[in-house]
Amino acid sequence: MTAALETIRARAGAEPVRLGLILGSGLGHLAGAVGGVAIPYGDLPGFPHAGVSGHNPNLVIGRLEGVRVAVFGAREHYYENGNPAAMRPALETLKALGAEGLIATNAAGSLRPDIAPGDLMLLGDHINFSGLNPLIGERTDARFVPMTEAHDPGYRAALRSAAAVEGIALPEGVYAWYSGPSFETPAEIRAIRTLGGDAVGMSTVPEVILARFLGLRVAAISTITNMAAGMSDEKISHEHTKAMAPLGAAKLERILRGFLHGLR
Ligand code: HPA
């Protein structure tokens, strides 16, 4: 048993967790909606901590809609320390806690005129535009992870129907992972559009790869905070991302609650 697992069980009890949730930029308040035990990442060996993005670097173990969840209040991005596998120990811990799956959330720029800031987008698939991979260096044959249905069809259908019940639009699209931390150029955005990308962001893809590697079902939702570079006159900035993300967060919470309700 890892030291992180021991600490979590000592503080939050040994009851297995059903699902993990990773909260993206500006979505941290969702952790507060979960009644449970908050454990600072700093107390969990292997979890990202120093300098990690997000204001809530806690793991919250508790219940949402009656389902036992592990909420990761922050993630480490590749651009922070150059480690695409930064979330591996945290996701291994999630798996060891008994989770069957993971829902990842993020903030992203839209490449589609019909998906506007404040809207949500469900990831139907992704493009690894960075060329990086969290499994580089993994020695076992398990590294050859099939990615054909990486974004779980059953989870996606359940998320879409939860959104429909709530009357929230949840278009599906392709998310392209850009390393960051600089934003994309307009030429890069045109290239990503040509390649089939509908949204662009600096996270999530490594976690989807790691989740599949670990045998976790996974789905991800973007909160669209801006139109991608060159697509509108609005200035793109991290401040803007953080200011806009809460617009989608309330909708996201309703969809996640409906999804969890259906899981019971
Ligand atoms: N590009 C990359 N990451 C982002 C963006 C963007 O336009 N918006 C929010 N996260």
Side-chain angles (χ1 to χ4, degrees):
M1 188 160 66
T2 68
L5 198 57
E6 237 170 88
T7 303
I8 294 165
R9 288 194 174 144
R11 295 197 202 172
E15 187 191 338
V17 158
R18 187 87 193 270
L19 195 83
L21 278 176
I22 297 180
L23 304 182
S25 304
L27 306 174
H29 92 279
L30 248 175
V34 177
V37 178
I39 306 170
Y41 281 6
D43 292 354
L44 298 171
F47 276 54
H49 51 278
V52 70
S53 292
H55 300 291
N56 199 7
N58 285 321
L59 175 70
V60 179
I61 306 282
R63 279 184 194 285
L64 197 56
E65 297 296 314
V67 178
R68 184 132 153 122
V69 292
V71 182
F72 298 83
R75 60 157 58 85
E76 182 173 324
H77 302 79
Y78 170 72
Y79 62 72
E80 291 174 65
N81 293 295
N83 179 12
M87 291 299 287
R88 179 166 172 170
L91 292 175
E92 283 173 340
T93 302
L94 175 66
K95 175 76 179 176
L97 286 168
E100 65 159 59
L102 170 73
I103 306 290
T105 64
N106 62 52
S110 172
L111 283 75
R112 282 221 334 237
D114 61 319
I115 304 180
D119 289 349
L120 301 176
M121 189 190 90
L122 177 63
L123 277 64
D125 203 346
H126 71 238
I127 296 172
N128 186 347
F129 196 70
S130 75
L132 300 158
N133 197 296
L135 297 177
I136 290 172
E138 168 64 32
R139 297 287 170 224
T140 66
D141 277 359
R143 64 188 160 187
F144 300 111
V145 180
M147 295 293 287
T148 310
E149 287 192 328
H151 297 262
D152 190 85
Y155 275 9
R156 279 158 48 213
L159 288 163
R160 284 194 307 264
S161 56
V165 167
E166 290 294 326
I168 298 166
L170 188 63
E172 234 181 43
V174 173
Y175 173 95
W177 174 32
Y178 186 77
S179 74
S182 60
F183 284 100
E184 305 75 30
T185 65
E188 286 162 346
I189 292 300
R190 288 193 298 274
I192 292 170
R193 187 75 198 115
T194 303
L195 292 173
D198 297 305
V200 63
M202 304 177 191
S203 69
T204 303
V205 168
E207 295 141 25
V208 170
I209 295 169
L210 286 166
R212 293 310 300 138
F213 170 68
L214 295 169
L216 292 163
R217 299 172 72 183
V218 61
I221 298 181
S222 293
T223 302
I224 300 300
T225 55
N226 56 279
M227 297 309 293
M231 294 188 61
S232 95
D233 294 337
E234 193 124 47
K235 260 221 169 93
I236 296 173
S237 71
H238 189 52
E239 281 62 46
H240 184 77
T241 297
K242 284 189 290 190
M244 291 296 288
L247 270 186
K251 291 189 271 190
L252 195 56
E253 179 172 343
R254 284 159 57 205
I255 292 172
L256 289 174
R257 281 183 183 280
F259 174 80
L260 288 166
H261 195 79
L263 265 192
R264 285 195 301 181

